[in-house]
Amino acid sequence: MTVVSSEPQSPRAHVPTRRERTRAATIEEIKQTALRLMHDQGTTDLRFSDIAREMGMTAPALYRYFGDRDELLTAMIVDADDDLGDAVAEARDRVPVDDPTGRLYAVGQAYRAWARSEPQRFALILGMPVPGYAAPEEGPTTEAAQRAMAQLKSLFFDAAELQLLQPPLLREVAEPLRVCAQAEHDVMHPDEPVLPVETFQAMLHCWAALHGFTCLEAYGHLDWLPAEARDSLFDASIRLIAATTGLPMPQA
């Protein structure tokens, strides 16, 4: 007698065909070639003809993989934002949730390390705008950037939930920023917890401080300091951020 299982059968995962694997490999090679050219040329600007020449292809052949240069840049920006977000999240989650300042330190260190190891990709997503490139409005680049920055915001949400978050040092908030804070929550992230507008401002100060230090270091402007001195300066920066944003002060 044949026994028929009553449990639902899970669909079999799609196994990429040889053609799909070849196409995916070529797309990855195009992206890596573009990054190498950015490094060699010292710019995030790209030309399809340069990429094609490096790969031994014709420029029209690239259009089988990307509609134009902007589509390639969009894909590279999304990849970079996702990788940065993953690196930051992994570092954050190695520290207990009840240590928000320790998590901030881990996030900052991961941010620094990623910028140093991926200077072209860091410049692509957080440097000067690429000449002539316009990201799709509310498209994949916006979504990827929001996912990456959500890792930093979560520190403040967790600290507030655990009643570890104090009012920030600076509590005066200008009306234009109040309007932005309201819209950021009501329109863009209505499902997120509501934080005081002065904490929203403090989160922006936190990001600006971390990003400013990272940019100075990533682009060589702090090379006159020994590595140990840069690390000490970064540690002090984290303490300053904690003191001004309302996060618990770390131990000296």
Side-chain angles (χ1 to χ4, degrees), residues 137-179:
E137 290 189 12
E138 299 303 318
T141 55
T142 300
E143 295 169 1
Q146 289 174 350
R147 287 195 299 272
M149 290 302 101
Q151 316 306 335
L152 183 61
K153 292 167 66 177
S154 70
L155 302 177
F156 290 86
F157 295 149
D158 292 341
E161 184 176 354
L162 293 170
Q163 298 183 336
L164 297 173
L165 185 65
Q166 300 298 315
L169 181 64
L170 182 62
R171 303 182 193 180
E172 298 80 13
V173 182
E175 185 59 26
L177 194 55
R178 287 182 177 274
V179 173

mmCIF file of all heavy atoms in Angstrom, residues 137-179:
data_model
loop_
_atom_site.group_PDB
_atom_site.id
_atom_site.type_symbol
_atom_site.label_atom_id
_atom_site.label_comp_id
_atom_site.label_asym_id
_atom_site.label_seq_id
_atom_site.Cartn_x
_atom_site.Cartn_y
_atom_site.Cartn_z
ATOM 1 N N GLU A 137 14.722 57.820 -7.290
ATOM 2 C CA GLU A 137 14.021 58.326 -6.114
ATOM 3 C C GLU A 137 13.282 57.186 -5.416
ATOM 4 O O GLU A 137 12.559 56.424 -6.039
ATOM 5 C CB GLU A 137 13.036 59.428 -6.516
ATOM 6 C CG GLU A 137 13.713 60.721 -6.963
ATOM 7 C CD GLU A 137 12.725 61.846 -7.150
ATOM 8 O OE1 GLU A 137 11.561 61.676 -6.715
ATOM 9 O OE2 GLU A 137 13.100 62.874 -7.731
ATOM 10 N N GLU A 138 13.472 57.098 -4.088
ATOM 11 C CA GLU A 138 12.827 56.061 -3.278
ATOM 12 C C GLU A 138 13.040 54.677 -3.883
ATOM 13 O O GLU A 138 12.175 53.815 -3.827
ATOM 14 C CB GLU A 138 11.329 56.353 -3.120
ATOM 15 C CG GLU A 138 11.032 57.663 -2.427
ATOM 16 C CD GLU A 138 11.665 57.751 -1.045
ATOM 17 O OE1 GLU A 138 11.626 56.757 -0.305
ATOM 18 O OE2 GLU A 138 12.203 58.818 -0.715
ATOM 19 N N GLY A 139 14.201 54.499 -4.484
ATOM 20 C CA GLY A 139 14.500 53.229 -5.136
ATOM 21 C C GLY A 139 15.422 52.363 -4.300
ATOM 22 O O GLY A 139 15.540 52.533 -3.082
ATOM 23 N N PRO A 140 16.130 51.438 -4.959
ATOM 24 C CA PRO A 140 16.948 50.471 -4.218
ATOM 25 C C PRO A 140 18.091 51.108 -3.446
ATOM 26 O O PRO A 140 18.479 50.602 -2.391
ATOM 27 C CB PRO A 140 17.466 49.531 -5.313
ATOM 28 C CG PRO A 140 17.332 50.300 -6.582
ATOM 29 C CD PRO A 140 16.135 51.173 -6.402
ATOM 30 N N THR A 141 18.666 52.201 -3.946
ATOM 31 C CA THR A 141 19.767 52.829 -3.217
ATOM 32 C C THR A 141 19.270 53.447 -1.912
ATOM 33 O O THR A 141 19.930 53.364 -0.876
ATOM 34 C CB THR A 141 20.460 53.904 -4.071
ATOM 35 O OG1 THR A 141 19.480 54.851 -4.525
ATOM 36 C CG2 THR A 141 21.145 53.285 -5.275
ATOM 37 N N THR A 142 18.089 54.070 -1.958
ATOM 38 C CA THR A 142 17.509 54.654 -0.747
ATOM 39 C C THR A 142 17.206 53.571 0.281
ATOM 40 O O THR A 142 17.502 53.709 1.474
ATOM 41 C CB THR A 142 16.229 55.428 -1.075
ATOM 42 O OG1 THR A 142 16.540 56.485 -1.996
ATOM 43 C CG2 THR A 142 15.607 56.031 0.173
ATOM 44 N N GLU A 143 16.610 52.475 -0.185
ATOM 45 C CA GLU A 143 16.264 51.380 0.719
ATOM 46 C C GLU A 143 17.512 50.759 1.341
ATOM 47 O O GLU A 143 17.536 50.453 2.537
ATOM 48 C CB GLU A 143 15.473 50.322 -0.053
ATOM 49 C CG GLU A 143 14.115 50.817 -0.552
ATOM 50 C CD GLU A 143 13.487 49.853 -1.537
ATOM 51 O OE1 GLU A 143 14.098 48.793 -1.804
ATOM 52 O OE2 GLU A 143 12.405 50.169 -2.061
ATOM 53 N N ALA A 144 18.558 50.586 0.537
ATOM 54 C CA ALA A 144 19.790 49.990 1.050
ATOM 55 C C ALA A 144 20.455 50.904 2.072
ATOM 56 O O ALA A 144 20.957 50.442 3.103
ATOM 57 C CB ALA A 144 20.751 49.693 -0.098
ATOM 58 N N ALA A 145 20.472 52.211 1.801
ATOM 59 C CA ALA A 145 21.070 53.157 2.744
ATOM 60 C C ALA A 145 20.302 53.165 4.060
ATOM 61 O O ALA A 145 20.900 53.226 5.143
ATOM 62 C CB ALA A 145 21.096 54.556 2.126
ATOM 63 N N GLN A 146 18.987 53.082 3.987
ATOM 64 C CA GLN A 146 18.179 53.062 5.207
ATOM 65 C C GLN A 146 18.438 51.798 6.017
ATOM 66 O O GLN A 146 18.489 51.836 7.253
ATOM 67 C CB GLN A 146 16.695 53.182 4.851
ATOM 68 C CG GLN A 146 16.297 54.551 4.341
ATOM 69 C CD GLN A 146 14.865 54.610 3.870
ATOM 70 O OE1 GLN A 146 14.188 53.576 3.752
ATOM 71 N NE2 GLN A 146 14.378 55.799 3.586
ATOM 72 N N ARG A 147 18.622 50.659 5.330
ATOM 73 C CA ARG A 147 18.935 49.419 6.047
ATOM 74 C C ARG A 147 20.271 49.535 6.760
ATOM 75 O O ARG A 147 20.426 49.082 7.899
ATOM 76 C CB ARG A 147 18.962 48.237 5.072
ATOM 77 C CG ARG A 147 17.597 47.801 4.570
ATOM 78 C CD ARG A 147 17.676 46.426 3.933
ATOM 79 N NE ARG A 147 18.558 46.385 2.781
ATOM 80 C CZ ARG A 147 18.181 46.653 1.530
ATOM 81 N NH1 ARG A 147 16.935 47.024 1.288
ATOM 82 N NH2 ARG A 147 19.046 46.563 0.541
ATOM 83 N N ALA A 148 21.254 50.154 6.099
ATOM 84 C CA ALA A 148 22.571 50.284 6.702
ATOM 85 C C ALA A 148 22.522 51.189 7.932
ATOM 86 O O ALA A 148 23.094 50.881 8.981
ATOM 87 C CB ALA A 148 23.571 50.831 5.678
ATOM 88 N N MET A 149 21.827 52.315 7.827
ATOM 89 C CA MET A 149 21.765 53.266 8.926
ATOM 90 C C MET A 149 20.860 52.787 10.061
ATOM 91 O O MET A 149 20.966 53.257 11.187
ATOM 92 C CB MET A 149 21.286 54.622 8.419
ATOM 93 C CG MET A 149 22.280 55.350 7.532
ATOM 94 S SD MET A 149 23.902 55.643 8.355
ATOM 95 C CE MET A 149 24.913 54.336 7.630
ATOM 96 N N ALA A 150 19.979 51.832 9.772
ATOM 97 C CA ALA A 150 19.095 51.308 10.820
ATOM 98 C C ALA A 150 19.884 50.650 11.942
ATOM 99 O O ALA A 150 19.417 50.591 13.082
ATOM 100 C CB ALA A 150 18.106 50.310 10.224
ATOM 101 N N GLN A 151 21.093 50.162 11.635
ATOM 102 C CA GLN A 151 21.899 49.521 12.667
ATOM 103 C C GLN A 151 22.299 50.523 13.747
ATOM 104 O O GLN A 151 22.342 50.183 14.937
ATOM 105 C CB GLN A 151 23.163 48.897 12.053
ATOM 106 C CG GLN A 151 22.947 48.139 10.759
ATOM 107 C CD GLN A 151 21.884 47.065 10.867
ATOM 108 O OE1 GLN A 151 21.615 46.555 11.944
ATOM 109 N NE2 GLN A 151 21.269 46.719 9.750
ATOM 110 N N LEU A 152 22.576 51.750 13.342
ATOM 111 C CA LEU A 152 22.940 52.781 14.310
ATOM 112 C C LEU A 152 21.722 53.243 15.102
ATOM 113 O O LEU A 152 21.786 53.401 16.328
ATOM 114 C CB LEU A 152 23.580 53.966 13.589
ATOM 115 C CG LEU A 152 24.091 55.116 14.460
ATOM 116 C CD1 LEU A 152 25.168 54.625 15.413
ATOM 117 C CD2 LEU A 152 24.630 56.235 13.576
ATOM 118 N N LYS A 153 20.600 53.432 14.418
ATOM 119 C CA LYS A 153 19.386 53.863 15.097
ATOM 120 C C LYS A 153 18.941 52.860 16.152
ATOM 121 O O LYS A 153 18.423 53.245 17.209
ATOM 122 C CB LYS A 153 18.266 54.073 14.070
ATOM 123 C CG LYS A 153 18.489 55.233 13.136
ATOM 124 C CD LYS A 153 17.535 55.201 11.957
ATOM 125 C CE LYS A 153 16.104 55.403 12.369
ATOM 126 N NZ LYS A 153 15.191 55.436 11.196
ATOM 127 N N SER A 154 19.163 51.580 15.885
ATOM 128 C CA SER A 154 18.690 50.549 16.810
ATOM 129 C C SER A 154 19.346 50.681 18.183
ATOM 130 O O SER A 154 18.757 50.276 19.192
ATOM 131 C CB SER A 154 18.953 49.153 16.232
ATOM 132 O OG SER A 154 20.346 48.859 16.216
ATOM 133 N N LEU A 155 20.548 51.241 18.240
ATOM 134 C CA LEU A 155 21.213 51.424 19.532
ATOM 135 C C LEU A 155 20.392 52.317 20.447
ATOM 136 O O LEU A 155 20.264 52.063 21.642
ATOM 137 C CB LEU A 155 22.598 52.044 19.329
ATOM 138 C CG LEU A 155 23.597 51.301 18.452
ATOM 139 C CD1 LEU A 155 24.870 52.111 18.319
ATOM 140 C CD2 LEU A 155 23.903 49.926 19.027
ATOM 141 N N PHE A 156 19.820 53.363 19.872
ATOM 142 C CA PHE A 156 19.035 54.304 20.658
ATOM 143 C C PHE A 156 17.669 53.710 21.010
ATOM 144 O O PHE A 156 17.162 53.925 22.114
ATOM 145 C CB PHE A 156 18.880 55.616 19.890
ATOM 146 C CG PHE A 156 20.156 56.398 19.788
ATOM 147 C CD1 PHE A 156 21.068 56.144 18.772
ATOM 148 C CD2 PHE A 156 20.461 57.376 20.711
ATOM 149 C CE1 PHE A 156 22.253 56.857 18.682
ATOM 150 C CE2 PHE A 156 21.642 58.097 20.635
ATOM 151 C CZ PHE A 156 22.545 57.832 19.616
ATOM 152 N N PHE A 157 17.076 52.964 20.080
ATOM 153 C CA PHE A 157 15.803 52.312 20.378
ATOM 154 C C PHE A 157 15.960 51.330 21.532
ATOM 155 O O PHE A 157 15.134 51.300 22.459
ATOM 156 C CB PHE A 157 15.274 51.578 19.145
ATOM 157 C CG PHE A 157 14.912 52.481 17.994
ATOM 158 C CD1 PHE A 157 15.040 52.041 16.690
ATOM 159 C CD2 PHE A 157 14.439 53.761 18.213
ATOM 160 C CE1 PHE A 157 14.703 52.856 15.620
ATOM 161 C CE2 PHE A 157 14.102 54.597 17.155
ATOM 162 C CZ PHE A 157 14.237 54.137 15.859
ATOM 163 N N ASP A 158 17.020 50.520 21.473
ATOM 164 C CA ASP A 158 17.244 49.521 22.528
ATOM 165 C C ASP A 158 17.528 50.199 23.868
ATOM 166 O O ASP A 158 17.021 49.766 24.913
ATOM 167 C CB ASP A 158 18.411 48.605 22.149
ATOM 168 C CG ASP A 158 18.094 47.700 20.974
ATOM 169 O OD1 ASP A 158 16.886 47.509 20.689
ATOM 170 O OD2 ASP A 158 19.033 47.197 20.333
ATOM 171 N N ALA A 159 18.351 51.245 23.849
ATOM 172 C CA ALA A 159 18.685 51.939 25.097
ATOM 173 C C ALA A 159 17.445 52.564 25.717
ATOM 174 O O ALA A 159 17.262 52.537 26.940
ATOM 175 C CB ALA A 159 19.744 53.006 24.829
ATOM 176 N N ALA A 160 16.570 53.115 24.867
ATOM 177 C CA ALA A 160 15.334 53.717 25.382
ATOM 178 C C ALA A 160 14.420 52.650 25.983
ATOM 179 O O ALA A 160 13.838 52.845 27.060
ATOM 180 C CB ALA A 160 14.620 54.465 24.258
ATOM 181 N N GLU A 161 14.302 51.502 25.310
ATOM 182 C CA GLU A 161 13.439 50.429 25.803
ATOM 183 C C GLU A 161 13.938 49.895 27.143
ATOM 184 O O GLU A 161 13.137 49.520 28.009
ATOM 185 C CB GLU A 161 13.370 49.305 24.774
ATOM 186 C CG GLU A 161 12.422 48.189 25.155
ATOM 187 C CD GLU A 161 12.304 47.121 24.074
ATOM 188 O OE1 GLU A 161 12.866 47.313 22.983
ATOM 189 O OE2 GLU A 161 11.644 46.104 24.333
ATOM 190 N N LEU A 162 15.259 49.858 27.316
ATOM 191 C CA LEU A 162 15.851 49.361 28.562
ATOM 192 C C LEU A 162 15.966 50.457 29.616
ATOM 193 O O LEU A 162 16.529 50.222 30.682
ATOM 194 C CB LEU A 162 17.235 48.781 28.272
ATOM 195 C CG LEU A 162 17.264 47.518 27.412
ATOM 196 C CD1 LEU A 162 18.685 47.193 26.990
ATOM 197 C CD2 LEU A 162 16.657 46.343 28.176
ATOM 198 N N GLN A 163 15.451 51.631 29.299
ATOM 199 C CA GLN A 163 15.490 52.790 30.202
ATOM 200 C C GLN A 163 16.922 53.174 30.561
ATOM 201 O O GLN A 163 17.220 53.594 31.692
ATOM 202 C CB GLN A 163 14.665 52.512 31.467
ATOM 203 C CG GLN A 163 13.190 52.268 31.180
ATOM 204 C CD GLN A 163 12.364 52.076 32.439
ATOM 205 O OE1 GLN A 163 12.855 51.687 33.483
ATOM 206 N NE2 GLN A 163 11.075 52.399 32.335
ATOM 207 N N LEU A 164 17.812 53.029 29.594
ATOM 208 C CA LEU A 164 19.215 53.409 29.774
ATOM 209 C C LEU A 164 19.544 54.713 29.068
ATOM 210 O O LEU A 164 20.659 55.232 29.218
ATOM 211 C CB LEU A 164 20.136 52.299 29.234
ATOM 212 C CG LEU A 164 20.052 50.942 29.922
ATOM 213 C CD1 LEU A 164 20.896 49.911 29.179
ATOM 214 C CD2 LEU A 164 20.515 51.062 31.371
ATOM 215 N N LEU A 165 18.588 55.231 28.302
ATOM 216 C CA LEU A 165 18.830 56.435 27.506
ATOM 217 C C LEU A 165 18.383 57.672 28.280
ATOM 218 O O LEU A 165 17.217 57.775 28.676
ATOM 219 C CB LEU A 165 18.084 56.348 26.174
ATOM 220 C CG LEU A 165 18.343 57.479 25.179
ATOM 221 C CD1 LEU A 165 19.801 57.449 24.714
ATOM 222 C CD2 LEU A 165 17.407 57.350 23.978
ATOM 223 N N GLN A 166 19.324 58.595 28.478
ATOM 224 C CA GLN A 166 19.034 59.842 29.151
ATOM 225 C C GLN A 166 18.815 60.952 28.123
ATOM 226 O O GLN A 166 19.166 60.796 26.951
ATOM 227 C CB GLN A 166 20.198 60.211 30.080
ATOM 228 C CG GLN A 166 20.478 59.185 31.152
ATOM 229 C CD GLN A 166 19.295 59.000 32.093
ATOM 230 O OE1 GLN A 166 18.679 59.973 32.541
ATOM 231 N NE2 GLN A 166 18.970 57.747 32.392
ATOM 232 N N PRO A 167 18.254 62.075 28.543
ATOM 233 C CA PRO A 167 18.127 63.204 27.602
ATOM 234 C C PRO A 167 19.508 63.643 27.115
ATOM 235 O O PRO A 167 20.479 63.606 27.875
ATOM 236 C CB PRO A 167 17.459 64.299 28.444
ATOM 237 C CG PRO A 167 16.757 63.566 29.528
ATOM 238 C CD PRO A 167 17.615 62.369 29.835
ATOM 239 N N PRO A 168 19.633 64.040 25.864
ATOM 240 C CA PRO A 168 20.942 64.460 25.358
ATOM 241 C C PRO A 168 21.375 65.788 25.965
ATOM 242 O O PRO A 168 20.574 66.517 26.557
ATOM 243 C CB PRO A 168 20.708 64.590 23.851
ATOM 244 C CG PRO A 168 19.245 64.873 23.718
ATOM 245 C CD PRO A 168 18.587 64.104 24.829
ATOM 246 N N LEU A 169 22.638 66.083 25.818
ATOM 247 C CA LEU A 169 23.178 67.324 26.367
ATOM 248 C C LEU A 169 22.517 68.542 25.730
ATOM 249 O O LEU A 169 22.174 69.513 26.408
ATOM 250 C CB LEU A 169 24.693 67.369 26.142
ATOM 251 C CG LEU A 169 25.433 68.603 26.672
ATOM 252 C CD1 LEU A 169 25.341 68.661 28.196
ATOM 253 C CD2 LEU A 169 26.897 68.572 26.226
ATOM 254 N N LEU A 170 22.338 68.489 24.407
ATOM 255 C CA LEU A 170 21.720 69.599 23.683
ATOM 256 C C LEU A 170 20.241 69.274 23.461
ATOM 257 O O LEU A 170 19.913 68.331 22.739
ATOM 258 C CB LEU A 170 22.421 69.824 22.340
ATOM 259 C CG LEU A 170 21.923 70.991 21.491
ATOM 260 C CD1 LEU A 170 22.123 72.310 22.229
ATOM 261 C CD2 LEU A 170 22.639 71.023 20.153
ATOM 262 N N ARG A 171 19.368 70.064 24.079
ATOM 263 C CA ARG A 171 17.933 69.765 24.007
ATOM 264 C C ARG A 171 17.162 70.779 23.169
ATOM 265 O O ARG A 171 15.971 70.579 22.898
ATOM 266 C CB ARG A 171 17.344 69.705 25.416
ATOM 267 C CG ARG A 171 18.060 68.684 26.296
ATOM 268 C CD ARG A 171 17.463 68.571 27.683
ATOM 269 N NE ARG A 171 18.362 67.831 28.573
ATOM 270 C CZ ARG A 171 18.103 67.571 29.841
ATOM 271 N NH1 ARG A 171 16.977 67.984 30.393
ATOM 272 N NH2 ARG A 171 18.983 66.917 30.576
ATOM 273 N N GLU A 172 17.810 71.860 22.767
ATOM 274 C CA GLU A 172 17.138 72.833 21.908
ATOM 275 C C GLU A 172 17.176 72.328 20.464
ATOM 276 O O GLU A 172 18.239 71.992 19.946
ATOM 277 C CB GLU A 172 17.834 74.193 21.991
ATOM 278 C CG GLU A 172 17.821 74.828 23.373
ATOM 279 C CD GLU A 172 18.886 74.255 24.287
ATOM 280 O OE1 GLU A 172 19.776 73.548 23.778
ATOM 281 O OE2 GLU A 172 18.821 74.488 25.500
ATOM 282 N N VAL A 173 16.008 72.259 19.848
ATOM 283 C CA VAL A 173 15.899 71.762 18.475
ATOM 284 C C VAL A 173 15.165 72.807 17.643
ATOM 285 O O VAL A 173 14.055 73.218 17.986
ATOM 286 C CB VAL A 173 15.144 70.419 18.416
ATOM 287 C CG1 VAL A 173 15.079 69.907 16.978
ATOM 288 C CG2 VAL A 173 15.807 69.394 19.329
ATOM 289 N N ALA A 174 15.766 73.219 16.540
ATOM 290 C CA ALA A 174 15.153 74.210 15.669
ATOM 291 C C ALA A 174 13.918 73.630 14.987
ATOM 292 O O ALA A 174 13.830 72.416 14.735
ATOM 293 C CB ALA A 174 16.157 74.687 14.619
ATOM 294 N N GLU A 175 12.965 74.488 14.678
ATOM 295 C CA GLU A 175 11.702 74.042 14.105
ATOM 296 C C GLU A 175 11.877 73.262 12.803
ATOM 297 O O GLU A 175 11.200 72.236 12.609
ATOM 298 C CB GLU A 175 10.777 75.238 13.888
ATOM 299 C CG GLU A 175 9.382 74.867 13.412
ATOM 300 C CD GLU A 175 8.644 73.931 14.387
ATOM 301 O OE1 GLU A 175 8.956 73.964 15.607
ATOM 302 O OE2 GLU A 175 7.759 73.181 13.926
ATOM 303 N N PRO A 176 12.744 73.677 11.867
ATOM 304 C CA PRO A 176 12.904 72.878 10.637
ATOM 305 C C PRO A 176 13.310 71.436 10.912
ATOM 306 O O PRO A 176 12.847 70.511 10.226
ATOM 307 C CB PRO A 176 13.999 73.634 9.878
ATOM 308 C CG PRO A 176 13.890 75.039 10.363
ATOM 309 C CD PRO A 176 13.541 74.920 11.810
ATOM 310 N N LEU A 177 14.149 71.228 11.937
ATOM 311 C CA LEU A 177 14.559 69.857 12.260
ATOM 312 C C LEU A 177 13.433 69.099 12.946
ATOM 313 O O LEU A 177 13.288 67.883 12.763
ATOM 314 C CB LEU A 177 15.809 69.871 13.136
ATOM 315 C CG LEU A 177 16.549 68.532 13.271
ATOM 316 C CD1 LEU A 177 16.908 67.968 11.913
ATOM 317 C CD2 LEU A 177 17.805 68.701 14.124
ATOM 318 N N ARG A 178 12.619 69.805 13.717
ATOM 319 C CA ARG A 178 11.448 69.167 14.316
ATOM 320 C C ARG A 178 10.522 68.627 13.226
ATOM 321 O O ARG A 178 10.006 67.511 13.323
ATOM 322 C CB ARG A 178 10.689 70.147 15.204
ATOM 323 C CG ARG A 178 11.377 70.478 16.513
ATOM 324 C CD ARG A 178 10.541 71.410 17.366
ATOM 325 N NE ARG A 178 11.187 71.650 18.643
ATOM 326 C CZ ARG A 178 11.058 70.862 19.704
ATOM 327 N NH1 ARG A 178 10.273 69.788 19.636
ATOM 328 N NH2 ARG A 178 11.683 71.149 20.832
ATOM 329 N N VAL A 179 10.324 69.427 12.189
ATOM 330 C CA VAL A 179 9.466 69.013 11.074
ATOM 331 C C VAL A 179 10.053 67.782 10.390
ATOM 332 O O VAL A 179 9.344 66.822 10.053
ATOM 333 C CB VAL A 179 9.294 70.168 10.073
ATOM 334 C CG1 VAL A 179 8.561 69.697 8.826
ATOM 335 C CG2 VAL A 179 8.543 71.325 10.727
#
